[in-house]
Amino acid sequence: MTINTAIKLVKRPSGGPITAELFEIAQSEIEALKAGEVLIKQQHLSLDPAMFGWMSPDTDSYIPPVALGDVMRSSGIGEVIASNHTDFAIGDRVMGMMGWQQYYVSSGAGLNTVLAPLPNEAVLSVFALPGLTATQGLFNIGKPKAGETLVVTGAAGSVGSIVGQLAKAEGLTVIGVVGNDEKAEWIVNELDFDGAINYKSANLDEQLAKLAPKGVDIFFENTGGDIQPLVLERMNAHGRVVVCGLIADYAKETPTPGPSWLKVIKKRITIQGFTMPDHFGEIPQLLEKLTPYVLSGQIKHRSHVLEGLESAIDGLNLFYSGANKGKLIVKL
Ligand SMILES: NC(=O)c1ccc[n+]([C@@H]2O[C@H](COP(=O)([O-])OP(=O)(O)OC[C@H]3O[C@@H](n4cnc5c(N)ncnc54)[C@H](OP(=O)(O)O)[C@@H]3O)[C@@H](O)[C@H]2O)c1
């Protein structure tokens, strides 16, 4: 008899920190597998800022919220430990939306075998959501050209750090916006960004002017915040704004008003939001684009690994404090 421990969402957050009272930890016996089912022991699960949206009551978004009483939604990697499915064998390493739980029973839908000879942490940090998001946003929306200047916010984060490195590899000047000096040093010294701005420091506009004297061609927006209108003011003609995330606004009751549209028309700027579920059908093409950069050593990453299922709850707060150093992952 196998007992599963799962964390279910029972209350929606109301702007403050994520606390244990929003969740219920439940144990249940795993029933015998039916025909076509596969049982996975999850090993690593991914924490993502998107979870703030999934926990909210907002039904007018790109994906429905997690229903109260349901296991909290997340992607993860695990090992097949029993299978009644012809496509999956015991011992296979698989990735899918397994949720905050130790074991996952799947029909096989949305489950993919992981073949890359890399540790789970590296797969989740580079080849899963962060790398796919960076590749889709930068190449298909940002359309980078050598010699251009790119500003990326959340630059030491899992998406932003890959965006910046891909743009460097394409011959752009890359400026990263981060929330502390350690992250600024990491992206400049380790990832080879051309410059970094700590958005909590003073004279942001002067710093931007100095680092982007020729203006900004691509603005990859992961955060929002006070730097957003300053970057927009410096956009060049035909610039592209890739709206990937706005974490500064996720816990706000009233989001910050957007910038003036005057600049948008004067400089013929394209502003485009995107969310990855629209592009899950294009994963093979995105991986084909991303993989050569990784294999040639141009993409470094760091993973921030928390221990134990329950660490997921408080772990989410690290996104808001900025205390996560790289891709947030829970090891089960
Ligand atoms: N569109 C999509 O399909 C898609 C897919 C994946 C992710 N995203 C979005 O992309 C963004 C980055 O995601 P990620 O997984 O790579 O997370 P991450 O950057 O690894 O972590 C979030 C980071 O946001 C920064 N942050 C927190 N509050 C902030 C604030 N008020 N102002 C500015 N920065 C703040 C913190 O870094 P600092 O220490 O630098 O402040 C924190 O470490 C998120 O907004 C996420 O929702 C979108």
Side-chain angles (χ1 to χ4, degrees):
M1 184 175 66
T2 309
I3 299 290
N4 185 31
T5 302
I7 301 183
K8 297 179 176 181
L9 183 72
V10 292
K11 205 173 154 193
R12 304 203 180 275
S14 54
I18 303 299
T19 53
E21 58 153 21
L22 305 181
F23 300 96
E24 178 188 281
I25 298 170
Q27 295 199 314
S28 61
E29 196 179 312
I30 295 171
E31 292 172 14
L33 287 189
K34 299 188 190 78
E37 285 187 338
V38 53
L39 175 64
I40 299 136
K41 187 173 194 307
Q42 188 167 209
Q43 296 162 329
H44 290 87
L45 70 79
S46 170
L47 292 183
D48 293 281
M51 289 168 170
F52 299 121
W54 301 344
M55 286 191 281
S56 82
D58 185 3
T59 51
D60 184 27
S61 193
Y62 65 100
I63 190 171
V66 176
L68 293 182
D70 277 5
V71 175
M72 182 59 200
R73 182 186 295 148
S74 59
S75 62
I77 298 185
E79 186 185 343
V80 172
I81 56 167
S83 180
N84 279 341
H85 195 299
T86 46
D87 293 347
F88 301 99
I90 290 175
D92 281 357
R93 190 161 66 128
V94 291
M95 176 152 56
M97 299 302 290
M98 302 188 195
W100 287 12
Q101 56 188 340
Q102 291 175 314
Y103 295 91
Y104 176 60
V105 177
S106 168
S107 64
L111 201 65
N112 292 299
T113 307
V114 180
L115 297 170
L118 294 169
N120 289 351
E121 292 92 333
V123 174
L124 288 175
S125 301
V126 179
F127 289 111
L129 192 64
L132 297 172
T133 305
T135 306
Q136 169 62 24
L138 180 65
F139 290 108
N140 296 338
I141 302 175
K143 300 190 169 57
K145 295 180 203 70
E148 290 188 327
T149 298
L150 172 140
V151 172
V152 55
T153 50
S158 45
V159 174
S161 61
I162 299 178
V163 168
Q165 292 177 89
L166 289 172
K168 276 303 294 176
E170 288 293 303
L172 280 78
T173 298
V174 174
I175 299 153
V177 180
V178 294
N180 65 46
D181 292 342
E182 187 276 335
K183 292 184 181 183
E185 278 162 30
W186 183 63
I187 61 170
V188 171
N189 298 336
E190 293 290 322
L191 307 189
D192 217 18
F193 281 35
D194 298 285
I197 296 176
N198 179 343
Y199 67 84
K200 294 174 183 163
S201 64
N203 307 322
L204 295 179
D205 202 28
E206 272 172 39
Q207 295 184 59
L208 262 176
K210 206 167 151 195
L211 289 170
K214 292 189 287 174
V216 176
D217 301 290
I218 304 176
F219 176 17
F220 198 107
E221 173 62 299
N222 279 317
T223 66
D226 293 345
I227 195 134
Q228 186 190 72
L230 303 178
V231 179
L232 217 88
E233 259 323 293
R234 296 202 169 273
M235 296 293 295
N236 291 328
H238 303 291
R240 286 82 71 200
V241 182
V242 185
V243 187
C244 176
L246 290 171
I247 195 166
D249 278 356
Y250 291 166
K252 282 189 189 158
E253 233 167 74
T254 314
T256 313
S260 161
W261 286 20
L262 276 177
K263 187 79 186 175
V264 176
I265 191 152
K266 281 197 285 188
K267 293 289 178 178
R268 292 87 80 207
I269 296 167
T270 303
I271 303 178
Q272 189 178 330
F274 75 107
T275 58
M276 283 314 289
D278 283 351
H279 304 285
F280 284 167
E282 297 140 42
I283 288 177
Q285 295 92 311
L286 292 170
L287 287 177
E288 201 181 321
K289 180 81 184 166
L290 171 65
T291 303
Y293 295 97
V294 181
L295 294 181
S296 62
Q298 289 167 295
I299 307 295
K300 295 180 188 163
H301 75 277
R302 54 184 187 185
S303 313
H304 186 135
V305 182
L306 306 172
E307 294 279 336
L309 182 62
E310 289 178 40
S311 67
I313 298 173
D314 199 31
L316 282 181
N317 293 308
L318 301 180
F319 285 127
Y320 282 140
S321 67
N324 66 309
K325 283 190 183 178
K327 176 77 198 108
L328 257 190
I329 292 169
V330 173
K331 183 174 186 295
L332 301 176

